[in-house]
Amino acid sequence: MQRFPCPFCGPRDEREFHFAGEAGKIRPTPSAAQSDTDWATYLYEAQNPRGPSREIWVHTPCQEYFIMTRDTVSMEVLGTEQLRKETL
Amino acid sequence: MLLGSVVYITYLDASPLIVPHWQDHMTNKYSAFSLFRESLRGHKGWQPAWRSPKPQAEYDVVIIGGGGQGLATAYYLAKNNGIKRVAVLEKGWLGGGNTGRNTTTIRSNYFHPESVALYEFSLNLYENLSRELNYNVMFSQRGLMTLIHSEPDLEMANRTVNAMQLNGIDATIISRAEVQKRAPVLNFRDDARYPIHGAVWQGRAGTARHDAVAWGYARAADRLGVDIIQNCEVTGLLTEGGICKGVETNQGTIRAARVGSAVAGNSSVVADMAGYKLPIQSYALQAFVSEPLKPIMNTVALSPATGTYFCQSDKGGVVIGGALDRVPSYGQRGNLPMQEDVLSGLLEMAPALANVKLLRHWAGIVDVTPDSSPVIGPTPLPGFFLNGGWGTGGFKAIPAGGTIFAHLLATGTHHEISQPFDPSRFTSGRLVDEGAASGIAH
Ligand SMILES: Cc1cc2nc3c(=O)[nH]c(=O)nc-3n(C[C@H](O)[C@H](O)[C@H](O)COP(=O)(O)OP(=O)(O)OC[C@H]3O[C@@H](n4cnc5c(N)ncnc54)[C@H](O)[C@@H]3O)c2cc1C
Ligand SMILES: [Zn+2]
């Protein structure tokens, strides 16, 4: 089994992680006028890159959501970032 | 099975050296008679099943991808639409993608009428395919059973079967006793975690030989004049004035009046060349085959509870499949988490197989859409057309997919069967949601 790095718990078995979606998609504001195309783009279109891919993942035991950059061909993990903004 | 195709290509590459000498005595048509005649002369007169031409500078239609969908499209373009200046460009070897990696289940028991029109058309074409192509695709209508494990399962199964019968499909519910009669190797023990109460049965469903479907279409298309070019990777699209005019490849530029993409898991990569995004996510789908056994299973069984399904090939190997990997991927190989899931599912379904050894384990990259239905149609780039999104279930659809995509490429407009699968459904909201409706991955 592969190990993925949780920014909170460190390296853990891949089966503890869940892929939540591609990173960087911004939901259109429902209160503003949005075209069907805007919604379709947000809901359905995917970057689906062959190679490095920035994605949102959750580590299910600790429920930490974070960004992981992964190579979709080699499965190598290229880095992780916190999604959580530090509150000072 | 992959090895078989590699050996085959080696033979083809070597063949031009021997062809002229035997030209007058070549055997073109496959029949009991030609087999007999060849057996008398040491099988020296068999012709290569297709030529290996150099690409021409220009074609009427260029198809990217030499899987079943691409090859069938080329065949029907020449046969039904009279367009013979056609090339199929394959970056590897024919059928080396999902077509040569799939578990070959063919069925038409879908939920929505749009899907039934598509898959039933395909099943009908499969029923006559060996004769049509003069190539034995070993289509075997051994039936498919989707197991019912509980009372709620039974209610859902009734709903599904009712919908299928309304669509004119030969689906019925069979009892536990009948499941046991047809597939005694399944788990009928009292302590079964998922007891079997019956099954949804489609008797006309079955399996075919995957490579033979690719090779049969390739040979038949070649004879109609289609150029099949292997080791030819499309690296970009040629556009002039915002219109697609051909492709850039590792064997040079090839011009075409129309270009069609049938590259399965690589659909998004090719769409990128055209500058637009697709509602497609690529995943690895894995399968397994065991050492050859004596006949123990002469139908296909699927357990929705475990996600595992299996059948037995004519060579005796137990062919096992399961659900998609959980992570988007272009890594065309197996991995352990899903292996554990699928095989534990198999042992629950058929505990007698516990000591059987696995022979091979592999993956293909499948193109999954949000509604588990294919995407067929024009694209934002004029002159460039898409056949994709078949996901985990496009082998059964090869004859139909080829017919409707050929129609689209020949006329520029949809065949009535492909209309509902136009990409515009994601904007209009008219999805054909088979993932939710029939809940079956394949
Ligand atoms: C493990 C597994 C089990 C399956 N089981 C079933 C099943 O039981 N029943 C069923 O109906 N379906 C099944 N499927 C799905 C089925 O295999 C596919 O939907 C079907 O084969 C798709 O055919 P295709 O021709 O579109 O794709 P492919 O056969 O993948 O062909 C696409 C071709 O395009 C080529 N290509 C890609 N990029 C380029 C490029 N840039 N230039 C040139 N060529 C390129 C590839 O090399 C490939 O050969 C299964 C799939 C897998 C992986
Ligand atoms: Zn964690």
Side-chain angles (χ1 to χ4, degrees):
Chain A
M1 306 287 170
Q2 193 177 1
R3 283 187 173 190
F4 285 156
C6 168
F8 200 65
C9 315
R12 306 283 301 184
D13 188 295
E14 62 177 296
R15 287 168 299 182
E16 290 180 5
F17 294 82
H18 184 73
F19 168 73
E22 79 181 39
K25 265 198 168 183
I26 298 177
R27 184 170 182 262
T29 322
S31 54
Q34 304 289 352
S35 70
D36 291 349
T37 311
D38 293 338
W39 279 113
T41 305
Y42 169 72
L43 287 170
Y44 300 123
E45 275 185 11
Q47 300 289 329
N48 196 22
R50 184 169 72 189
S53 176
R54 266 185 103 232
E55 302 164 336
I56 299 174
W57 284 72
V58 56
H59 184 217
T60 43
C62 76
Q63 284 296 305
E64 179 80 359
Y65 280 76
F66 62 99
I67 291 183
M68 178 153 75
T69 308
R70 218 172 37 99
D71 186 306
T72 57
V73 180
S74 69
M75 299 296 141
E76 192 189 342
V77 176
L78 304 173
T80 54
E81 305 154 50
Q82 288 199 8
L83 260 181
R84 198 201 312 228
K85 303 256 186 311
E86 294 300 335
T87 45
L88 297 172
Chain B
M1 65 207 78
L2 291 177
L3 185 66
S5 46
V6 172
V7 169
Y8 205 67
I9 290 160
T10 314
Y11 160 69
L12 277 181
D13 286 345
S15 60
L17 299 174
I18 22 174
V19 165
H21 179 62
W22 289 102
Q23 211 118 48
D24 299 340
H25 318 282
M26 290 311 255
T27 295
N28 277 310
K29 188 160 162 55
Y30 298 158
S31 66
F33 172 72
S34 61
L35 187 62
F36 175 70
R37 193 182 59 186
E38 284 304 323
S39 72
L40 293 182
R41 54 183 199 189
H43 293 287
K44 294 211 172 92
W46 295 114
Q47 224 181 353
W50 53 82
R51 300 160 296 130
S52 295
K54 288 267 161 286
Q56 293 169 27
E58 187 169 359
Y59 291 93
D60 290 335
V61 177
V62 157
I63 296 160
I64 314 172
Q69 292 287 346
L71 293 164
T73 303
Y75 169 72
Y76 292 114
L77 265 171
K79 191 197 155 223
N80 295 349
N81 307 97
I83 297 182
K84 306 202 174 181
R85 288 180 54 216
V86 176
V88 178
L89 311 181
E90 166 54 51
K91 71 174 174 182
W93 65 93
L94 295 189
N98 296 339
T99 301
R101 296 163 188 268
N102 92 98
T103 51
T104 77
T105 304
I106 295 165
R107 60 182 182 86
S108 63
N109 52 359
Y110 281 73
F111 190 85
H112 293 292
E114 295 89 341
S115 314
V116 171
L118 172 67
Y119 295 106
E120 177 63 13
F121 176 46
S122 211
L123 180 52
N124 286 332
L125 290 173
Y126 260 117
E127 284 174 330
N128 191 42
L129 196 59
S130 293
R131 195 165 296 130
E132 156 119 28
L133 300 179
N134 178 232
Y135 202 100
N136 186 1
V137 302
M138 297 165 90
F139 182 43
S140 153
Q141 291 179 291
R142 56 186 67 188
L144 173 121
M145 48 173 71
T146 306
L147 301 176
I148 296 167
H149 294 299
S150 65
E151 211 175 305
D153 269 9
L154 181 62
E155 283 172 14
M156 283 305 285
N158 272 313
R159 170 178 172 270
T160 309
V161 164
N162 286 344
M164 287 172 190
Q165 289 183 353
L166 286 174
N167 286 324
I169 298 303
D170 60 316
T172 51
I173 298 225
I174 57 174
S175 67
R176 173 183 165 96
E178 188 159 353
V179 174
Q180 188 158 21
K181 204 176 91 202
R182 290 185 185 276
V185 72
L186 294 180
N187 190 353
F188 296 95
R189 295 188 334 201
D190 292 337
D191 64 349
R193 167 70 182 80
Y194 296 110
I196 296 171
H197 295 296
V200 175
W201 173 251
Q202 186 183 20
R204 285 167 61 245
T207 59
R209 177 157 157 73
H210 46 20
D211 292 331
V213 172
W215 297 341
Y217 273 116
R219 174 168 167 272
D222 174 87
R223 284 173 160 210
L224 293 175
V226 171
D227 282 356
I228 294 167
I229 298 154
Q230 301 182 72
N231 301 313
C232 184
E233 175 164 10
V234 171
T235 51
L237 299 177
L238 177 71
T239 55
E240 288 168 7
I243 297 172
C244 185
K245 294 285 185 186
V247 293
E248 307 288 354
T249 79
N250 59 352
Q251 299 193 27
T253 303
I254 306 173
R255 299 185 66 91
R258 288 196 170 127
V259 176
S261 164
V263 297
N266 283 296
S267 293
S268 302
V269 178
V270 174
D272 245 5
M273 300 173 190
Y276 75 107
K277 297 281 169 236
L278 282 173
I280 286 180
Q281 195 71 257
S282 296
Y283 289 91
L285 178 65
Q286 306 190 37
F288 311 80
V289 69
S290 78
E291 59 187 333
L293 306 177
K294 289 193 173 165
I296 44 149
M297 177 72 175
N298 68 356
T299 180
V300 186
L302 166 89
S303 166
T306 65
T308 300
Y309 62 95
F310 75 101
C311 63
Q312 191 174 18
S313 79
D314 291 345
K315 278 193 287 190
V318 180
V319 179
I320 309 145
L324 282 175
D325 274 18
R326 291 163 46 233
V327 182
S329 163
Y330 285 87
Q332 202 171 234
R333 59 194 171 269
N335 58 56
L336 292 173
M338 199 40 81
Q339 168 166 341
E340 265 187 17
D341 278 10
V342 175
L343 295 182
S344 61
L346 178 73
L347 294 193
E348 167 58 31
M349 284 176 85
L353 298 179
N355 291 324
V356 172
K357 293 184 183 66
L358 276 190
L359 212 57
R360 289 191 301 276
H361 168 204
W362 66 91
I365 303 304
V366 296
D367 39 346
V368 178
T369 61
D371 60 356
S372 295
S373 285
V375 197
I376 301 163
T379 70
L381 178 65
F384 179 67
F385 297 81
L386 170 73
N387 164 336
W390 294 103
T392 61
F395 177 72
K396 67 174 76 65
I398 285 172
T403 307
I404 58 189
F405 198 43
H407 179 97
L408 181 64
L409 285 167
T411 64
T413 54
H414 272 289
H415 189 285
E416 59 175 353
I417 292 182
S418 65
Q419 185 70 56
F421 301 101
D422 189 89
S424 63
R425 73 179 185 273
F426 294 101
T427 315
S428 69
R430 248 197 108 80
L431 304 193
V432 187
D433 199 346
E434 284 298 338
S438 52
I440 324 174
H442 306 276

